[in-house]
Amino acid sequence: MITISLDLAKIDETRIKPFKRKNGEMAEFLEIVLIESPNSQFGDYIVKQGVTKEERMAGKEMPILGDAKIYQPQAGRAQRPAKKPDLF
């Protein structure tokens, strides 16, 4: 399991996109990206808002919103072995 902590005050709200569900209800989505940070004191990943392809090509960087950590279950519980997920 991966736990994520976000600083909601750092979210660029203009990047929250409306989406119409199949049942007609409206929802709002925010694209976030997990970037592996194996030597970080804060977590296993840093969390940023996503950027468009054009923004990425132009070198746009989004602020760090928080971090993500891989949760290791307690010993003795029957769970599959913990490993970092292949995100790409």
Side-chain angles (χ1 to χ4, degrees), residues 15 51-61:
R15 293 179 177 272
V51 293
T52 65
K53 181 180 179 181
E54 293 79 16
E55 290 172 328
R56 192 171 39 255
M57 298 291 283
K60 178 155 179 90
E61 287 282 330

Side-chain angles (χ1 to χ4, degrees), residues 31-48:
E31 180 183 349
I32 61 169
V33 178
L34 298 177
I35 302 167
E36 193 170 3
S37 58
N39 297 322
S40 173
Q41 65 183 3
F42 302 107
D44 300 304
Y45 299 91
I46 58 173
V47 181
K48 292 186 172 190

Side-chain angles (χ1 to χ4, degrees), residues 61-72:
E61 287 282 330
M62 295 302 293
I64 295 174
L65 299 178
D67 61 21
K69 297 176 186 175
I70 297 175
Y71 172 75
Q72 302 293 335

